[in-house]
Amino acid sequence: MPILNATSPLWFYVDFACFAHLPFTCINFIPVYCSSEDASGFFVSLLFGLGPLLGGFILVVFALAFHLQHALLMGAASGIAFILAAWRPLQLLVSSKMGFFSLIFLLALGAAFVHVSSCSILKLAGRKKASVNNLPTANGFSVSVHTLQSFLSCGAVAFHALAEGLALGVAAPKAYGLGRHMVLPVSLHGLPRGAAVASCIFGATDSWHSALAAATLIGFVGPISAIGAILAGIDYSGLDHVMVFACGGLLPSFGNIIRRGVRLDARKGGFGLAIGVGFASLCLMCTKLVCLHTPYCNSAPEAVR
C-alpha cells in the first residue's frame, strides 16, 4: 500500500472524506455540551425578562394616563419593594426552611451592606458636587442627590433580581416544552419588579423614557444571572440565604424613597404606598394560585414561588 503524503493525489480525497464527515461528528458532540434541558433552561431564562418589562410598561401607562404625582409614584415603588422584601422570607419562615433568628440576621446583614454601600457612593459623589444639590456628570448634565438615591435603589432591585435569577437557573432546565407553560407565572412574578423600578425612576426624573429603560435593564438581570447559573452548573443549596440577604437590601433603599415621598406629600405618599403593597401582593398571590391550581410550575417549582 502506497504511503500518502501531502503531494500525493490521493491525499486530497482522504482529506475531503474526513472533512465531509466532520459535521456528523460535531452533531454527535452537541448533546454533550448543550442538552435539551439546557436549551429549555435558556428559553425560560429569557422569558424571565418579560415580566419586568411588562410591569414597567403598565406603570408608565397608568402614570401618564392619570398624571400621577411624584410622591405617589415614590410611595408605590416603596410599597412594591417592601412586599418583594417580605415575600420569600415569610415563605421560608412558614415552611420552616429557615429559622427566625437566621432570617433576621441575613435580612439585617443585607440591609447593612446596601446601606453602607449607598452611603459610600453618595459621599464619593458629594465630594464632586458643583452646588448644594447638584452632582456633575461627565457629559455636563447635573444629577440631583435624590435622583442618585433612586438609581441606587434600583441597584438594590437588580441585586434582588440577580438572586432570583440564580434560583431560576437551577430550576429552569427541568421545565418541559421549552418552558412555554411557564410564561404566565414567570411574567406575573416579574411584574412587580419592573413596576417598582419604573415608578422609582419616573418619580425621580419625570421621564417615562428613563422609566421604561430602567425596567428593561432590570429585565435583563434575571436572565443573565439564570444563564450564568446554568452554565456554571450550580445547585440550589445556599440560594435561599442569598435571596434573604438580597431582600434585606431592599429595606434601607426604599425606606429612604418613602421618607422623601412622605415629605413631599404625606397623603399621596401614603396612598401610593398602599397601591404598591396591593399591586405587588396581587401579582405574587396570582402567581401562587397559578402554580397551585395548574401544572404550569410542576416542572420547575423553584423558578417561580
Side-chain angles (χ1 to χ4, degrees):
M1 183 176 181
I3 299 175
L4 295 178
N5 52 49
T7 60
S8 173
L10 291 176
W11 178 263
F12 170 78
Y13 297 103
V14 174
D15 188 55
F16 178 77
C18 293
F19 182 77
H21 286 83
L22 185 59
F24 300 100
T25 305
C26 293
I27 291 174
N28 291 331
F29 278 94
I30 286 176
V32 177
Y33 297 104
C34 186
S35 65
S36 59
E37 286 189 352
D38 287 342
S40 175
F42 292 149
F43 188 74
V44 175
S45 300
L46 294 175
L47 293 177
F48 201 56
L50 289 177
L53 178 60
L54 291 174
F57 179 78
I58 291 171
L59 185 281
V60 167
V61 169
F62 272 89
L64 293 176
F66 296 100
H67 304 286
L68 301 183
Q69 301 297 317
H70 291 189
L72 192 145
L73 290 170
M74 292 177 183
S78 301
I80 295 171
F82 293 153
I83 293 298
L84 290 178
W87 188 259
R88 185 56 181 167
L90 285 176
Q91 286 184 327
L92 293 173
L93 189 62
V94 171
S95 61
S96 300
K97 290 184 177 180
M98 189 176 294
F100 176 77
F101 292 106
S102 299
L103 200 71
I104 295 300
F105 174 75
L106 287 172
L107 285 173
L109 195 63
F113 173 76
V114 171
H115 177 71
V116 171
S117 301
S118 299
C119 289
S120 299
I121 294 173
L122 288 173
K123 287 180 180 178
L124 182 63
R127 294 173 185 173
K128 301 179 180 180
K129 63 182 180 179
S131 61
V132 176
N133 284 323
N134 290 332
L135 304 176
T137 59
N139 56 8
F141 293 99
S142 60
V143 177
S144 70
V145 174
H146 298 305
T147 301
L148 183 58
Q149 286 178 339
S150 298
F151 282 113
L152 292 175
S153 299
C154 292
V157 176
F159 183 42
H160 182 271
L162 185 144
E164 281 201 339
L166 292 176
L168 176 73
V170 173
K174 303 174 185 177
Y176 55 88
L178 289 180
R180 64 180 182 272
H181 301 289
M182 294 188 65
V183 175
L184 179 60
V186 166
S187 297
L188 282 172
H189 194 69
L191 279 176
R193 185 180 297 111
V197 170
S199 182
C200 186
I201 296 300
F202 203 174
T205 64
D206 200 23
S207 170
W208 65 269
H209 300 90
S210 300
L212 282 181
T216 303
L217 289 175
I218 289 297
F220 279 112
V221 175
I224 291 173
S225 176
I227 292 173
I230 294 172
L231 294 177
I234 64 174
D235 57 20
Y236 196 74
S237 58
L239 291 186
D240 279 332
H241 296 81
V242 176
M243 189 67 208
V244 175
F245 181 85
C247 288
L250 294 172
L251 299 175
S253 297
F254 285 90
N256 293 329
I257 297 297
I258 187 58
R259 280 197 293 270
R260 179 169 178 248
V262 169
R263 282 199 298 266
L264 289 175
D265 191 318
R267 185 176 62 85
K268 290 181 179 178
F271 184 59
L273 182 67
I275 291 177
V277 168
F279 176 75
S281 300
L282 179 64
C283 290
L284 295 176
M285 284 191 295
C286 286
T287 304
K288 196 68 176 178
L289 290 175
V290 168
C291 290
L292 288 175
H293 298 289
T294 69
Y296 289 166
C297 303
N298 291 347
S299 56
E302 294 297 343
V304 182
R305 308 181 183 92

